[in-house]
Amino acid sequence: MSFPIVRNRRLRGNAAIRNLVRENQVTVHDVVQPIFVTHGTNIKSEIASMPGVYHFSLDRVQEEIEEITELGIQAILLFGVPDHKDAQGTSAFMDDGIVQQATRLIKELNPNLLIIADTCLCQFTDTGHCGVIHHHPVTGQADVANDASLELLVRTAVSQAKAGADIIAPSNMMDGYVYAIRSGLDEAGYENTPIMAYSVKYASAYYGPFRDAVDSTPQFGDRKTYQMDPANGREALREAESDVAEGADFLMVKPALAYMDIIRMLKDNFDLPVVAYNVSAEYSMIKAAALQGWVNEEAIVMETMTSFKRAGADIILTYFAKDIARYLKK
């Protein structure tokens, strides 16, 4: 059957028909707002490379939580910027670490707001790497020690859960990290705390503004020995399959915009919720173009988010979450 019997435009005739047959849509319940907390007092400081995104000191974070709550956003992704860094990233797993303090405070402000704690060491180590460093005994070459880093990541995850984090989101890409953290959480009595695994995290150029935000640029080398090669697709299946076998509850693809084929791949091959992380440069590029008047910000943001949903994302981590909530309220 073809034209003129078939006329595909019949289902595009007006807004009501288009709404009835729409296959994918974005709601406020699909998005998670990242926030950055830091030490100090009376700090609400805009991140230069991320317009509209701020560092908040603990005494100013209430205004951000109240705004997020008022907009109907149900979840935040919590990042901490410490005042102390060392080789072990010890402030990541201290009971009075910035993430732990912020978690307890936010739970007092809004017990129903879902807190997803980023579980990594990169913003806490003085090297900017996602684990502890060892040196090859012959060549002296420095690299991240996988298994030694797992021990510290487990301590971090347990301390975050103890502080009240609802979901642990390990972003380190160490081999075996899901199994190690799952075992550590279970042993500590947090068997019902889910793990949002950064299952497919690429060694991407899209992270630049975020590294400015948390001062986590590697002090030497790069993260290519533990984050994935952007050229690889099948490897994403192996990474995700490992995380599923080790006990992950969510599977994330990061970044999202340049990797929608990978989002679809995970959606088609696994039955866990798929998370798309719309990362800092994806956000900043649209903001910069909108500030120049080159694009319609609302239209391009909503088109992009709908594309993530069409690709298979169940959840979208995005710095646009508050903007999206405002668009939807209109």
Side-chain angles (χ1 to χ4, degrees):
M1 302 284 283
S2 61
F3 179 85
I5 302 301
V6 174
R7 290 180 179 266
N8 289 318
R9 287 182 58 185
R10 292 180 187 130
L11 299 184
R12 305 172 194 155
N14 60 52
I17 289 177
R18 290 194 296 275
N19 287 339
L20 284 172
V21 301
R22 180 164 290 139
E23 298 174 27
N24 297 282
Q25 58 185 333
V26 178
T27 77
V28 72
H29 295 160
D30 297 322
V31 296
V32 176
Q33 176 70 49
I35 69 170
F36 297 92
V37 291
T38 189
H39 292 280
T41 58
N42 196 31
I43 295 172
K44 181 182 178 181
S45 175
E46 188 172 38
I47 299 165
S49 56
M50 299 175 70
V53 179
Y54 296 83
H55 289 124
F56 291 93
S57 55
L58 296 179
D59 61 327
R60 295 288 301 272
V61 77
Q62 180 172 354
E63 56 198 83
E64 178 76 346
I65 299 305
E66 288 176 348
E67 183 180 17
I68 287 169
T69 302
E70 175 64 25
L71 288 169
I73 296 169
Q74 297 186 119
I76 61 170
L77 177 61
L78 183 59
F79 293 101
V81 182
D83 60 358
H84 167 73
K85 301 188 180 202
D86 57 33
Q88 303 292 311
T90 53
S91 56
F93 47 83
M94 294 171 61
D95 286 342
D96 62 349
I98 186 62
V99 170
Q100 290 79 359
Q101 290 188 58
T103 299
R104 290 191 290 267
L105 174 60
I106 292 168
K107 280 300 180 183
E108 291 177 4
L109 297 171
N110 183 354
N112 296 318
L113 185 65
L114 197 73
I115 298 177
I116 304 169
D118 178 75
T119 306
C120 196
L121 301 178
C122 61
Q123 61 263 45
F124 301 98
T125 59
D126 53 13
T127 65
H129 278 283
C130 300
V132 294
I133 303 301
H134 78 130
H135 297 270
H136 192 280
V138 177
T139 66
Q141 182 175 353
D143 195 11
V144 172
N146 191 95
D147 295 7
S149 299
L150 293 180
E151 298 177 15
L152 302 182
L153 291 164
V154 171
R155 293 177 66 182
T156 301
V158 171
S159 72
Q160 291 171 338
K162 180 181 176 182
D166 299 287
I167 297 174
I168 299 301
S171 58
N172 53 86
M173 287 296 283
M174 297 294 109
D175 289 342
Y177 72 103
V178 174
Y179 176 78
I181 290 173
R182 181 73 273 155
S183 299
L185 289 171
D186 290 354
E187 290 172 8
Y190 299 105
E191 62 274 2
N192 290 325
T193 300
I195 295 175
M196 181 179 285
Y198 282 64
S199 300
V200 183
K201 182 178 181 182
Y202 285 91
S204 172
Y206 282 93
Y207 303 148
F210 175 86
R211 290 176 181 172
D212 291 342
V214 297
D215 188 25
S216 66
T217 301
Q219 298 303 299
F220 64 89
D222 52 40
R223 298 184 175 131
K224 292 179 180 179
T225 63
Y226 46 100
Q227 294 178 359
M228 282 181 50
D229 184 343
N232 291 355
R234 293 193 305 271
E235 184 183 0
L237 286 178
R238 297 199 301 272
E239 288 282 1
E241 187 174 22
S242 296
D243 288 355
V244 171
E246 292 174 18
D249 300 285
F250 306 82
L251 303 176
M252 188 192 299
V253 176
K254 180 183 182 184
L257 189 61
Y259 299 91
M260 282 197 260
D261 59 324
I262 306 301
I263 295 172
R264 171 48 56 185
M265 188 183 297
L266 264 60
K267 187 70 170 181
D268 289 342
N269 283 275
F270 304 100
D271 58 5
L272 292 177
V274 176
V275 184
Y277 196 150
N278 179 218
V279 299
S280 58
E282 297 170 13
Y283 170 86
S284 296
M285 289 189 299
I286 293 175
K287 282 290 185 181
L291 288 170
Q292 292 293 325
W294 296 337
V295 298
N296 179 322
E297 182 176 334
E298 178 178 345
I300 202 167
V301 167
M302 294 308 294
E303 182 177 342
T304 302
M305 299 303 140
T306 303
S307 298
F308 295 150
K309 294 287 288 184
R310 189 185 66 246
D314 300 290
I315 301 163
I316 304 169
L317 305 180
T318 177
Y319 301 96
F320 286 115
K322 292 193 298 182
D323 293 325
I324 292 165
R326 294 187 191 100
Y327 302 152
L328 295 172
K329 275 183 176 289
K330 290 195 303 184

